[in-house]
Amino acid sequence: MAGHSVIFDTAESPVEVPTGTLLTEAAQLANVALGQPCGGQGRCGRCAIIVRAGSVRRRSTLRLSAEDIAAGYALACQAVVEGDVQISIPPQEKIERRLTTDRIAAEVHVPAGYDPARHQSVARVALTLSPPSMDDQTDDWSRLQTALRQQAGIDNLTASLPALGAISNSLRAGQWQVSAVIDLDPPVPRLIGLFPMHAPSDTPLWGIAIDIGTTTVSLWLANLISGEVRSQVAEYNGQITRGEDVISRIIYASKNQGAAEMQGLILETINSLVEVACQRARITPDMIVKATVVGNSTMIHLLLGLPAESIRLAPFVTTVNQVPHLTASATGIGIHPEATVECLPGVASYVGADITAGVLSSGLDDTEDITLFIDIGTNGEIVLGNREWLLTCACSAGPAFEGAGVRDGMRATQGAIEEIWINGDTWEPTIRVIGGGKPRGLCGSGLIALLAEMFLTGVIDKGGHLNIGLPTPRIRTRDHTLEYVVAWADETANGRDITITSVDIDNLLRAKAAIYAGFGVLAESAGLALDAVARVLVGGAFGKYINVEKAVEIGLLPDMPWECFEFLGNTAIKGAYLALLDRFARDRIRAIANRLTYIELSADNRFYEAFTSALFLPHTDLSRFPTVQAALTP
Ligand code: FES
């Protein structure tokens, strides 16, 4: 097959590829960083490049305007090489490394009454063994087991082959005085490591709690003896350049070497966080003997290299919801190779361990009040219940509120418009941009605010249709699509108008309707009206920035008094931390996973009815939103 030279302006040297190679593949070969937020499906338009010389065949130009194509733009994931080409890579949306500081968040308190002897499943045991002699030729392993039985009451110890291989040296190096680190929890105790000396009883044992978010990975390093969190770090999930939502990631993972690449990317992120957390605590990663991991079901599958394809295809089944105990060496997490790695249990394809851990840390499973717990991220997961019963569902809201699926959408980083006010007489917007400076796009909170303001000022009607009758140049038609201009080209960082199109509005309405319909179906399944809910707990990063009033105005959140809402931040990592310390908390998460009744919305007619009614602003039944009704009454 003919070879063609592809020159990227940001690459050190050209690459040779055969006819038919996708530009994304050529970019990878040339080591050129190119984000693929939709996983290369041609949906997001954010892998656009400029063809400077030569030609490519564009399989799809959806998401490119006629102007863009005339200017040489092509979607790298949809353009194949047919001859020698020169490609310019426009500045990429920056995925800044955003490791958090070493400041310990004020809300992390060691659970009251934490007692490692009672709660912790990993223990260090000091042992003194009698050395072998010509009169006592007992083998090392039996000698160790006898000492454990006699000195610590621990029977039936097991060990992996590598751990077994290390005991001989440790026993002799310590002159038969050793500390054994043992996981007491599996059906029988398991040796993690044998260290050649006695350690004082308050010497730390280290553990990590990991939350693998689709966007951000968070890691807490904790002293398992005192319970204290010593380091908290977070960074973007390295898979983000291969898809912003779980479906895009699954599709990417199903291609060629995609699964191995995805596993490698998440391990790279986790292991770099481990390194930084350890440097800050002045320890080495091999001193970490336990890890608990939470994340949505797709993230856990991609971490473990398990096939994830069936998660996105009916009947939507995971390979595993309750992962057996693993070791670090089996998972590739760079801590002590024999460390226990516990992936906490999930419930279904779209209700994972992040939600069970969230229910635990929010205390929802132990409350009397009927409580709604929502975690809106790249998907909307909802739990309704109290200590008697728990119902859950996942709404395929898509990542619209994270800025994807919206033409000028972006994550909540520098340059994102996060708040908007529209003047009701002139329809001129006032914006607030993250980091000050010129705007680059709209993030989730900005989109919610924009939708609410457009609705309240009549820029759009309750069906989300733009009002072309308003005397403002901001409402216009471009490329056969109606749009509202939020910022003109000369006000933006990239010299292009920032707009919200009628297609974007439609996507946002569908996302908010799916979430609100999810609330309704859960309440109906419990035989309740939505107003029986006493508290709404909002988890996840989304809840941190959202303007509740505006979220109610568009009908995303139920219309309830402000004091009924509680914003809990990252409930998933808090749950993982509790399970890291306390075997009873871990058992409680298992009980939560077993108690949660999962309602599959895609097979539920009630959902479609509720969804259709919620496609309006704020809802077809305005009496459900009395405060919005009052705001709309002149
Ligand atoms: S359009 Fe190419 S990655 Fe989304």
Side-chain angles (χ1 to χ4, degrees), residues 24 35-48 62-63 75-78:
T24 41
Q36 297 181 62
C38 73
Q41 299 173 74
R43 285 193 294 109
C44 68
R46 285 163 48 198
C47 62
L62 211 82
R63 291 276 165 195
L75 299 179
C77 73
Q78 300 297 318

Side-chain angles (χ1 to χ4, degrees), residues 66-88:
E67 272 166 42
D68 291 336
I69 295 169
Y73 279 92
L75 299 179
C77 73
Q78 300 297 318
V80 293
V81 175
E82 291 192 321
D84 294 349
V85 280
Q86 282 182 31
I87 305 292
S88 259

Side-chain angles (χ1 to χ4, degrees), residues 239 246 249-250 253-254 258-260 262-264 266-267 296-308:
Q239 298 170 338
V246 293
R249 303 250 177 112
I250 295 172
S254 65
M262 290 301 222
Q263 189 181 27
I266 187 57
L267 282 171
N296 63 53
S297 302
T298 302
M299 292 303 109
I300 299 296
H301 278 59
L302 294 180
L303 167 70
L304 301 178
L306 298 171

